[in-house]
Amino acid sequence: MTEQGEALLAPALEMRGITKRYPGVVANDHIDLDVRPGEIHALLGENGAGKTTLMNVLYGLAKPDEGEILLDGRSVKIASPSDAIVRGIDMVHQHFMLVPVLTVAENILLGEETMANPVFLDRKRARSQIIDLGRRFGFEIDPDEKVGSLSVGWQQRVEILKALYRHAKILVLDEPTAVLTPQETKEIFTVLRRLAAEGHSIIFISHKLYEVLEIADRITVIRRGRVVGERLPSETNEDDLAELMVGREVQLTVDRGESHPAGAVLKVEGLHVRDDRGNEMVRGVDLEVRAGEILGIAGVAGNGQDELVEAIIGLRKPHAGTVTLDGADVTGHTPRQMNEARVAYVPADRHRFGLILSFPLSDNLVLTTYYRSPYARGIMRDEAAIRREAEATVAKYDIRTPSATVKAGTLSGGNQQKAVVAREFSADLALLVLDQPTRGLDVGSIEFIHKQAIAKRDAGTAILLVSAELDEILEMSDRIGVMYRGEIVRVLDGPTADKNEVGILMATGGATQPAHEAEVSA
Ligand code: ATP
């Protein structure tokens, strides 16, 4: 956008003095935000800062206590998401709202029957419109493909298409890149730039500062419900943004020191595991994690990492192979048995496995230990002991919550993740299995969790780290196993591993394609 253009363009959206209070917390405290036509505006803030709340107000999901929303200079009331959609505001959610068994076109048209003319929905025309829209924004999509068979990156494009099909002018993307590979991120950025070039306004939420610097035209930072700064990418950098967000200096790289591994704690031999649909996702994996080391598993999401981890911690039965822990065969043991054997697990999907959202945070913090001393005597729970532990954990891990008694579901996404990590890290452990442990966390929290993991390692815990963040794998791992199509195709020394080499192995498995053909982003 030219400077002259900027001066001429009135904001497409203005949020003025937005205030939203929840019991014990002011989630949004007189927030002002304006977004111009054709602008990509990044919203940055630490976990619990109030980003999602502000977007929920915009999308009609939360009613503000104070403040005003203006669209093209006119004050509007947005009472519900359908109200927002009619006014040209749409949201691409972090947890996709698509129906996997329906096709792309069916998903895009879903809800349209009731919104447009119910009798006369021209499906043929809709299909060609979808194809045209895709092309306009730089991708070819088959409207008849089932959404369930699409990669995460493509599902996200379907969500964007759905919004465009509904004539969205203002598009909110809440951490769109959290689940994408670097290549998919590049592609989605191309789509976003085209959208902006056509005059759409984009609100982009992310914790990845380098991404924000790359894609945003302007950045607004909020902390504890208030706007604390606005920046242009050209006048700031990662350190400045991190400090602005968190309110203190943040160490962005991990100081991990040397590891001193001892004997093998976890041994996986000849493991084969199927997913829910019967596809063989893990195909003959052998690996070993020693006491006092971090073995990182690098890989593009969907190459069997989830099934591998689930088989190790007892959530999924392997159909061949063995898992041994300190020399004892634990293949097919239940998660409770694994927990008894001093194995902890931070799952990728905290909603499915990590927390019971309708339970108080305090109960969630003892979810794996509540039936034992000191939290129970016989069948009696010791409420005071549970409360004490919860309060100490909330303080230590800086979990932002009005109290430990609120329902876990009211915590911000990042603070829910911190709660799971805090619980799993609290015990004396033989093995710690971490699956995307810092997804959705702000830079300050990532720094803290990484330090805690290193401390666990140095205390002799064996750590298996699975992460789609190649940087996290490279910074944290003493050894790196690269997983490709269900196999560990290579194991590399962590401190000396080359990012490009790992990236190529992730993309090609090493043997199938010459290195120069593999597209890897740094
Ligand atoms: P994250 O990066 O972790 O997703 P966020 O910036 O999106 O964080 P919000 O989800 O907006 O943060 O949360 C802001 C505050 O509002 C938090 O303290 C949270 O506990 C509180 N909050 C949000 N929704 C509710 C709710 N429905 N009930 C009670 N409190 C809530």
Side-chain angles (χ1 to χ4, degrees), residues 139 153-161 184 187-188 191:
F139 52 90
W154 277 96
Q155 292 192 23
Q156 192 167 61
R157 270 170 246 185
V158 175
E159 284 246 345
I160 293 175
L161 274 186
E184 286 172 325
E187 289 165 9
I188 215 71
V191 175

Side-chain angles (χ1 to χ4, degrees), residues 490-505:
R490 189 85 60 84
V491 179
L492 304 152
D493 175 53
T496 57
D498 174 63
K499 183 172 181 175
N500 222 36
E501 187 187 353
V502 181
I504 289 168
L505 286 168

Side-chain angles (χ1 to χ4, degrees), residues 46-53 207 350-351 355 357 399-402 406-419 440-442:
E46 60 184 341
N47 296 128
K51 305 175 293 293
T52 305
T53 302
H207 286 295
R350 58 185 170 249
H351 287 164
L355 294 169
L357 297 178
I399 299 173
R400 298 285 166 84
T401 172
V406 300
K407 285 187 181 147
T410 69
L411 263 59
S412 79
N415 281 293
Q416 291 178 10
Q417 177 70 2
K418 282 199 257 177
L441 293 190
D442 66 51

